[in-house]
Amino acid sequence: MKSKEEIIEIEIAEIDLYIINKARELRVARRMSQLKLSIALNLAEGAVSKIENPKQRAKYNIRHINLLAKALKCNPADLLPPKPLKNDVIRAKLKITRNPKDRKGEPNYVVISKVPVKNHD
């Protein structure tokens, strides 16, 4: 049987990780499914699921900030950090847990550590 927890490392722009986590937090607080948010953003049905899955390379782009704000009924600024982030690209270590079937689409990872990536191209 597969373990219920997994540790992975990903390389990602710190701002991308921030926006993904903030949008996910607001989506869950508003009890909105990934599917419903994908539809509200006029994206493919599995788009938000792919964006929120740290094993996938999908990310929100700048255009999505406004669409997310409309769908989540917040200000675009609510999706962005209050101050510039310290790092450009980071190597994030994440602990992923498998969600029970009845909690599909809920947050399933936590950031354990973040290390800046030097000389990123």
Side-chain angles (χ1 to χ4, degrees):
M1 186 173 179
K2 200 172 184 181
S3 172
K4 291 187 179 203
E5 289 186 359
E6 177 183 9
I7 305 292
I8 67 166
E9 283 189 20
I10 61 169
E11 222 171 83
I12 188 170
E14 190 170 20
I15 188 74
D16 286 333
L17 185 60
Y18 183 94
I19 292 168
I20 290 166
N21 286 333
K22 190 54 125 168
R24 181 179 71 166
E25 174 188 309
L26 292 169
R27 178 186 63 74
V28 170
R30 285 154 176 74
R31 299 178 183 247
M32 182 181 279
S33 70
Q34 291 173 332
L35 174 60
K36 188 173 180 182
L37 183 55
S38 290
I39 292 167
L41 298 176
N42 200 27
L43 299 174
E45 286 185 6
V48 171
S49 176
K50 285 181 180 175
I51 292 168
E52 290 185 5
N53 181 341
K55 293 181 180 181
Q56 301 287 323
R57 296 181 59 92
K59 311 282 182 289
Y60 291 117
N61 63 41
I62 195 68
R63 180 179 154 260
H64 293 138
I65 301 294
N66 191 57
L67 296 172
L68 283 163
K70 285 180 182 181
L72 297 170
K73 295 179 175 43
C74 65
N75 284 314
D78 295 336
L79 296 158
L80 300 170
K83 299 188 293 186
L85 298 173
K86 183 177 177 181
N87 304 298
D88 179 19
V89 178
I90 58 170
R91 182 168 291 111
K93 187 179 281 190
L94 309 173
K95 180 169 74 171
I96 300 175
T97 55
R98 291 190 347 191
N99 283 335
K101 288 182 183 179
D102 63 334
R103 297 201 46 183
K104 191 173 168 111
E106 294 287 321
N108 70 332
Y109 68 87
V110 293
V111 178
I112 298 171
S113 66
K114 296 187 287 186
V115 178
V117 174
K118 303 288 184 203
N119 300 325
H120 182 75
D121 295 330

